[in-house]
Coordinates of all heavy atoms in Angstrom, one line a residue:
G22 N -233.4 -84.9 167.2 CA -232.3 -84.5 168.0 C -232.4 -84.9 169.4 O -233.3 -85.6 169.8
L23 N -231.5 -84.3 170.2 CA -231.5 -84.5 171.7 C -232.1 -83.3 172.4 O -231.7 -82.2 172.1 CB -230.0 -84.7 172.1 CG -229.8 -84.8 173.6 CD1 -230.5 -86.0 174.2 CD2 -228.3 -84.8 173.9
V24 N -233.0 -83.6 173.3 CA -233.7 -82.5 174.0 C -233.9 -82.9 175.4 O -234.2 -84.1 175.7 CB -235.0 -82.1 173.3 CG1 -236.0 -83.3 173.3 CG2 -235.7 -80.9 173.9
P25 N -233.8 -82.0 176.4 CA -234.1 -82.4 177.8 C -235.6 -82.6 178.0 O -236.4 -82.0 177.3 CB -233.5 -81.2 178.6 CG -233.6 -80.0 177.6 CD -233.4 -80.6 176.3
P26 N -235.9 -83.3 179.1 CA -237.4 -83.4 179.4 C -238.0 -82.1 179.6 O -237.4 -81.1 180.2 CB -237.3 -84.2 180.7 CG -236.1 -85.0 180.7 CD -235.1 -84.1 179.9
G27 N -239.2 -81.9 179.0 CA -240.0 -80.7 179.0 C -239.7 -79.8 177.8 O -240.4 -78.8 177.6
G28 N -238.7 -80.2 177.0 CA -238.4 -79.4 175.8 C -239.3 -79.7 174.7 O -240.3 -80.5 174.8
S29 N -239.0 -79.0 173.5 CA -239.8 -79.1 172.3 C -239.0 -79.4 171.1 O -237.8 -79.1 171.1 CB -240.6 -77.8 172.1 OG -241.5 -77.5 173.1
L30 N -239.6 -80.1 170.2 CA -239.0 -80.3 168.8 C -240.1 -80.2 167.8 O -241.2 -80.5 168.1 CB -238.3 -81.7 168.7 CG -236.9 -81.9 169.4 CD1 -236.6 -83.4 169.3 CD2 -235.9 -81.1 168.7
R31 N -239.6 -79.9 166.6 CA -240.6 -79.9 165.5 C -240.0 -80.7 164.4 O -238.9 -80.4 163.8 CB -240.8 -78.5 164.9 CG -241.9 -78.4 163.9 CD -242.1 -77.0 163.4 NE -243.3 -76.8 162.6 CZ -243.2 -76.3 161.4 NH1 -242.1 -75.9 160.8 NH2 -244.3 -76.1 160.6
L32 N -240.7 -81.8 164.0 CA -240.3 -82.7 163.0 C -241.0 -82.3 161.7 O -242.1 -81.8 161.7 CB -240.7 -84.2 163.3 CG -240.1 -84.7 164.6 CD1 -240.5 -86.2 164.7 CD2 -238.6 -84.6 164.7
S33 N -240.2 -82.4 160.6 CA -240.8 -82.2 159.2 C -240.6 -83.4 158.4 O -239.6 -84.1 158.5 CB -240.1 -81.0 158.6 OG -240.2 -79.8 159.4
C34 N -241.5 -83.5 157.4 CA -241.3 -84.6 156.4 C -241.8 -84.1 155.1 O -242.9 -83.5 154.9 CB -242.2 -85.8 156.8 SG -242.3 -87.1 155.6
A35 N -240.9 -84.3 154.1 CA -241.2 -83.8 152.7 C -241.4 -85.0 151.8 O -240.5 -85.9 151.8 CB -240.0 -83.0 152.2
A36 N -242.5 -85.0 151.1 CA -242.8 -86.1 150.2 C -242.4 -85.5 148.8 O -242.8 -84.4 148.4 CB -244.2 -86.5 150.2
S37 N -241.6 -86.3 148.0 CA -241.2 -85.9 146.7 C -241.4 -87.0 145.7 O -241.5 -88.2 146.1 CB -239.8 -85.4 146.7 OG -238.9 -86.4 147.0
G38 N -241.4 -86.7 144.4 CA -241.5 -87.6 143.4 C -242.8 -87.3 142.6 O -243.3 -86.2 142.6
T39 N -243.3 -88.3 141.9 CA -244.5 -88.1 141.1 C -245.7 -88.4 142.0 O -246.0 -89.5 142.4 CB -244.5 -89.1 139.9 OG1 -243.4 -88.9 139.1 CG2 -245.8 -88.8 139.1
I40 N -246.4 -87.3 142.4 CA -247.5 -87.4 143.3 C -248.7 -86.6 142.8 O -248.6 -85.5 142.4 CB -247.1 -86.8 144.7 CG1 -245.9 -87.5 145.3 CG2 -248.3 -86.8 145.6 CD1 -245.3 -86.9 146.5
F41 N -249.8 -87.3 142.8 CA -251.1 -86.6 142.4 C -251.9 -86.4 143.7 O -252.4 -85.3 143.9 CB -251.9 -87.5 141.5 CG -253.3 -86.9 141.2 CD1 -253.5 -85.8 140.4 CD2 -254.4 -87.5 141.8 CE1 -254.7 -85.2 140.2 CE2 -255.7 -86.9 141.6 CZ -255.8 -85.8 140.8
S42 N -251.9 -87.4 144.6 CA -252.8 -87.3 145.8 C -252.2 -88.1 146.9 O -251.7 -89.2 146.7 CB -254.2 -87.7 145.5 OG -255.0 -87.7 146.7
I43 N -252.2 -87.6 148.1 CA -251.8 -88.3 149.3 C -253.0 -88.2 150.3 O -253.3 -87.1 150.7 CB -250.6 -87.8 150.0 CG1 -249.4 -87.8 149.0 CG2 -250.2 -88.6 151.2 CD1 -248.1 -87.2 149.6
H44 N -253.6 -89.4 150.6 CA -254.8 -89.3 151.4 C -254.4 -89.0 152.9 O -255.0 -88.1 153.5 CB -255.6 -90.6 151.4 CG -256.8 -90.6 152.2 ND1 -256.9 -90.9 153.5 CD2 -258.1 -90.3 151.8 CE1 -258.1 -90.8 154.0 NE2 -258.9 -90.4 153.0
T45 N -253.5 -89.7 153.4 CA -253.1 -89.6 154.8 C -251.6 -89.5 155.0 O -250.9 -90.2 154.4 CB -253.6 -90.8 155.6 OG1 -255.0 -90.9 155.5 CG2 -253.3 -90.6 157.1
M46 N -251.2 -88.5 155.8 CA -249.8 -88.4 156.2 C -249.7 -88.5 157.7 O -250.6 -88.0 158.4 CB -249.1 -87.2 155.7 CG -249.1 -87.1 154.2 SD -248.1 -85.7 153.6 CE -246.4 -86.4 153.8

Side-chain angles (χ1 to χ4, degrees):
L23 173 64
V24 62
S29 297
L30 281 175
R31 186 178 189 238
L32 304 183
S33 300
C34 172
S37 63
T39 303
I40 299 171
F41 173 75
S42 174
I43 304 176
H44 183 271
T45 301
M46 297 190 77

